[in-house]
Amino acid sequence: MPSLRFFAVLQHGLATALLASALLCLGQAAAQTATQQKLRIVGGLAGLNQYVRHEEPFWSKELLRLSNGRFDAEIVPFDRAGVPGGDMLRLIQLGVVPFGTALISTVAQQHVELGAPDLAGLNPDMASLKRSVAAFRPYLEKTLRERHGMEALALYVYPAQVVFCQSALSSLADLKGRRIRVSSATQSDFVSALGATPVVTGFAQIMVNMASGNTDCAITGTMSGNTLGLHQVTTHVHALPVTWGLAVFGANQAAWGALPADLRALLRQELPKLEAAIWLESERETAEGLACNRGAATCGSGRLGHMREVPASALDLRRSEELFKTIVLPRWLQRCGGPCAEVWNQTIGPVRGVMAPPVR
C-alpha cells in the first residue's frame, strides 16, 4: 500500500498544479484585459425584434468581430436591468449607466420638449417621421450634451402605434365614447380630442385591462400587440399610426471621452449602420404586424389572427391632422412652456408646415 508520505507528496503536487493553473488563468485574463476592453450597455426593450435582431447581436458579437477581438460588450435590455425608464437620462449623466438607451416617450414626462418629433397625429407614415426627426435631431443632440451630459450616438424607432379595438369601427370617429389604453400624455390628448376616454396603462397590463372590461381599445405597436395576443381578444385594428416610439442611445460624456480613440471612431462609423437597420426593421415590422393580425400570408414571424384592418381614409388623415393642429400641439405647448414654441418654430414647424403660436 502507498505510504502516508506518498499521499502527502501527491497532495502537495496537486496543490502546486492547481496553483500554477490558477496563476496561468489569471495571467491570461490580465493579458486579455490589457488588449480587450469590455463595455457595459443598457439597451432597448426586451423581446422586441429591434433588440433581439439588431442591438443584442451588434454588442455581443459584431463589436468583437469588427474590432478584431480588441473590444467587446455585454448588453441587457433596460426593462430587465432594474433601471427606471424615467431616470435614464439622470443615471447616464451621473455615470451610473455609462452607455444606455432612453425611451423618448418616457423621459418626455419630465423633459417635455424632447417629445416634440413624435407627438400624436404628427407623423401618419414613416416618411413624415423621418422629416420630423431630421429637423429636431440637432436640437436633441445639443440639448442632451449640454443639459444632460450625454453624447447621443444613435436614434432608434419602434413600429407604429395603432388602435386595436374589441368591437367594430370604420373610422377614427367611431372611437368616440370608448375607453382606450394609452401610454403617454400626447396619446391622451389625441384620444380625448376624439371624444374617447384615455386610460394610462403599462404594456404588461393591456391584456388584463381588456379582459376586465376596463378598456375597449388599446394603442400599441402593430407587432407587439400581436405578440401580446391582442389579435385574439380584439376584432378591428386601425392602420393609422397615432405615434411611433423613439429611443436615443448615448454615453456619459466622461465615459465616452475615456474610450480609446479608435473605439470611438469605430462606434461613430458603425452605430449609424445599426440605426439604419433598426429603422428598416421598424418599417418592415409595422407592415408585417398588420399582416399577421389580419391573417395574411405575408405574416412571417408573428401569429395569424382574423382581425379586420381598417385603412386610414382621406377623412381620417384630415381629422388626425386637424386634431394635431388644434388640440395636440397646443396642449403640448402648454405643458412645455414658452421656450418650446420657439424650439418648435426653429426645428419641426417649418419642415412640417405647422407653426406654433406664442404661449401666453
Side-chain angles (χ1 to χ4, degrees):
M1 293 179 61
S3 65
L4 293 175
R5 178 175 176 75
F6 172 82
F7 283 116
V9 171
L10 179 62
Q11 290 173 346
H12 177 73
L14 287 171
T16 302
L18 289 171
L19 178 61
S21 177
L23 290 174
L24 177 62
C25 290
L26 287 173
Q28 291 174 336
Q32 184 182 34
T33 301
T35 59
Q36 184 187 96
Q37 183 158 350
K38 200 174 189 75
L39 305 180
R40 301 301 193 272
I41 309 295
V42 176
L45 292 167
L48 300 187
N49 285 335
Q50 284 70 24
Y51 180 85
V52 174
R53 295 180 179 178
H54 300 283
E55 286 183 86
E56 197 276 336
F58 175 83
W59 293 108
S60 65
K61 297 175 184 177
E62 282 298 297
L63 180 61
L64 192 64
R65 182 187 66 82
L66 290 167
S67 65
N68 295 317
R70 286 197 59 206
F71 307 115
D72 195 8
E74 292 178 348
I75 182 171
V76 60
F78 93 85
D79 49 338
R80 293 182 183 172
V83 179
D87 296 334
M88 182 60 79
L89 292 186
R90 181 63 174 162
L91 294 173
I92 292 175
Q93 184 175 31
L94 293 172
V96 176
V97 176
F99 302 90
T101 306
L103 295 183
I104 296 296
S105 62
T106 302
V107 300
Q109 295 174 15
Q110 298 180 32
H111 310 287
V112 181
E113 74 281 4
L114 300 184
D118 195 24
L119 294 177
L122 173 62
N123 304 302
D125 51 43
M126 179 65 82
S128 300
L129 178 66
K130 288 179 178 179
R131 292 198 300 273
S132 298
V133 168
F136 192 72
R137 188 166 190 158
Y139 173 83
L140 174 66
E141 293 178 348
K142 182 174 185 290
T143 300
L144 291 175
R145 184 181 303 113
E146 295 178 356
R147 298 184 190 175
H148 303 282
M150 175 180 176
E151 189 69 24
L153 301 173
L155 193 60
Y156 305 146
V157 64
Y158 292 102
Q161 303 280 300
V162 300
V163 183
F164 292 75
C165 281
Q166 290 179 317
S167 57
L169 74 151
S170 59
S171 69
L172 290 179
D174 293 337
L175 295 174
K176 183 177 181 179
R178 304 192 195 192
R179 293 174 59 83
I180 303 177
R181 178 264 176 175
V182 299
S183 60
S184 64
T186 188
Q187 288 183 359
S188 292
D189 293 337
F190 189 82
V191 164
S192 297
L194 287 169
T197 301
V199 181
V200 180
T201 308
F203 181 74
Q205 284 73 50
I206 291 178
M207 295 294 283
V208 174
N209 275 265
M210 281 288 187
S212 67
N214 188 43
T215 52
D216 308 302
C217 307
I219 297 176
T220 192
T222 59
M223 184 61 85
S224 55
N226 180 271
T227 301
L228 195 61
L230 279 175
H231 63 291
Q232 297 174 328
V233 298
T234 59
T235 60
H236 289 65
V237 56
H238 200 291
L240 179 68
V242 178
T243 59
W244 292 79
L246 298 171
V248 58
F249 172 75
N252 168 274
Q253 284 186 320
W256 176 249
L259 294 181
D262 57 340
L263 176 54
R264 291 199 305 271
L266 178 64
L267 293 177
R268 287 290 192 193
Q269 173 182 299
E270 296 299 326
L271 283 173
K273 299 177 185 177
L274 175 63
E275 175 182 312
I278 288 176
W279 278 74
L280 285 174
E281 179 74 36
S282 174
E283 190 166 19
R284 182 200 65 78
E285 197 170 72
T286 293
E288 187 182 10
L290 290 171
C292 291
N293 290 319
R294 68 176 185 266
T298 50
C299 174
S301 58
R303 294 176 289 178
L304 293 177
H306 299 90
M307 301 187 69
R308 178 181 173 186
E309 180 183 327
V310 181
S313 66
L315 180 61
D316 282 335
L317 289 168
R318 287 197 300 271
R319 182 78 189 280
S320 178
E321 182 179 0
E322 176 191 1
L323 293 181
F324 172 75
K325 293 177 180 179
T326 60
I327 303 294
V328 175
L329 180 60
R331 288 186 181 176
W332 175 77
L333 290 169
Q334 289 173 1
R335 287 192 297 272
C336 200
C340 287
E342 183 178 352
V343 170
W344 177 270
N345 289 338
Q346 292 177 352
T347 58
I348 300 172
V351 172
R352 299 305 309 279
V354 183
M355 302 302 286
V359 177
R360 297 176 182 176

